[in-house]
Amino acid sequence: MSEEPQVFCLFMIGPMGSGKSTVGRHLASLLHCDFVDSDAEIETRAGADIPWIFDVEGEDGFRRREASVLQELSEQTRVVIATGGGAVVTAANRELMSRLGVVIYLDVSVAQQVKRTGSGEGRPLLKGGDRQATLGRLMAEREPLYRELADVIISDGGSNARKVARQIQQALEDRGLLVRGAN
Ligand code: S3P
């Protein structure tokens, strides 16, 4: 009998600057599984960065790429997948995540997002304009989707990533979503 925890796909969701990638990496290491960042995969496959994709193909083009990458990534098991902040707006992505994995929502305030996204570099939706207002508007639109989809919600944006990852591991065990020694 293996001592490895039994896990399938774990999807990290939440807004820009919520720490999906940093926390996701720690979580994957705690659970001894792979980690993948969907934005990084989109860039590798396109051979171009996200600002370029938005410039040339618009947000719709980016969302099509995002949906296709997510679908491919979620064919794996034992993987933590950090999604982009807007992945939840696409119905097919929501359906896929709730069907194939456990969804973890990192809930942070708009003020924390403003601090963590710095100058907004590399995030086309934050280019120009009032970043706080943009992040607030996106949060108002998307928060109901994050909450509806989430199996686990972590609202402790002040903690360091390692601590948040341990909190998630505990929450997964408490809910019976992570089974030790059972596979
Ligand atoms: C986006 C978030 C970004 C990236 C793209 C669009 C969004 O990912 O996917 O710029 O719509 O909120 P992060 O949440 O990792 O910054």
Side-chain angles (χ1 to χ4, degrees):
M1 189 159 66
S2 158
E3 283 307 308
E4 290 289 301
Q6 192 179 55
V7 286
F8 24 108
C9 288
L10 294 171
F11 294 99
M12 310 295 300
I13 64 168
M16 293 180 258
S18 56
K20 300 178 293 286
S21 300
T22 319
V23 172
R25 247 179 250 283
H26 284 294
L27 183 63
S29 141
L30 281 176
L31 302 180
H32 306 289
C33 43
D34 294 331
F35 169 79
V36 63
D37 179 310
S38 96
D39 283 343
E41 283 296 316
I42 293 166
E43 291 184 324
T44 304
R45 282 158 209 224
D49 63 14
I50 289 175
W52 184 93
I53 298 171
F54 268 74
D55 270 355
V56 175
E57 301 178 356
E59 182 170 351
D60 286 352
F62 174 77
R63 296 292 167 215
R64 278 194 292 276
R65 287 180 180 273
E66 183 175 54
S68 124
V69 161
L70 263 186
Q71 170 141 28
E72 213 179 294
L73 295 178
S74 53
E75 282 164 14
Q76 303 169 65
T77 54
R78 303 194 56 78
V79 64
V80 176
I81 302 174
T83 65
V88 297
V89 301
T90 306
N93 294 343
R94 298 199 298 276
E95 189 278 326
L96 181 102
M97 291 193 262
S98 62
R99 182 164 49 87
L100 291 180
V102 175
V103 182
I104 298 146
Y105 167 35
L106 297 183
D107 172 28
V108 295
S109 67
V110 169
Q112 280 166 327
Q113 288 180 66
V114 171
K115 249 194 257 169
R116 289 180 180 180
T117 50
S119 64
E121 180 76 31
R123 290 180 165 111
L125 294 179
L126 298 183
K127 207 166 92 182
D130 176 342
R131 285 191 303 118
Q132 172 141 1
T134 304
L135 287 166
R137 176 180 55 76
L138 290 174
M139 189 56 134
E141 288 168 15
R142 296 171 177 178
E143 192 180 17
L145 301 174
Y146 293 139
R147 289 196 178 277
E148 194 191 322
L149 197 58
D151 296 298
V152 174
I153 300 177
I154 300 288
S155 305
D156 192 10
S159 292
N160 71 51
R162 202 180 295 271
K163 196 168 150 207
V164 174
R166 278 200 299 267
Q167 229 182 306
I168 296 170
Q169 182 184 30
Q170 188 61 55
L172 293 171
E173 283 177 10
D174 291 348
R175 289 165 178 71
L177 296 170
L178 201 64
V179 185
R180 279 186 189 281
N183 47 339

